[in-house]
Amino acid sequence: MSTAQPDDHATPDALLHARTGTEVDPEDVVLAAGRDVTPENLEWARRKIEAEGAAALDKLLP
């Protein structure tokens, strides 16, 4: 027997937004990935942003 209410449902991922409309910063991507802010990780984040655009950050956040 389910205890879920009619309006009790998960929000689809496509409707969830992590950003506020601002530019994605490499440091934000590094921190969202749980990595230390190092020159190597910042370069990784720059490449990720270049390849994926703003979605690079969205993909890392729940």
Side-chain angles (χ1 to χ4, degrees):
M1 179 177 203
S2 173
T3 61
Q5 299 298 315
D7 61 340
D8 187 18
H9 60 280
T11 303
D13 287 345
L15 297 178
L16 296 174
H17 302 282
R19 293 182 298 110
T20 60
T22 59
E23 290 296 316
V24 175
D25 184 81
E27 186 173 339
D28 295 333
V29 173
V30 169
L31 294 173
R35 298 181 178 196
D36 292 328
V37 179
T38 66
E40 294 81 15
N41 287 339
L42 289 170
E43 183 55 36
W44 164 80
R46 283 186 196 94
R47 290 191 308 270
K48 188 167 180 64
I49 293 168
E50 186 176 304
E52 300 175 16
L57 181 61
D58 294 335
K59 291 178 181 180
L60 293 169
L61 296 175

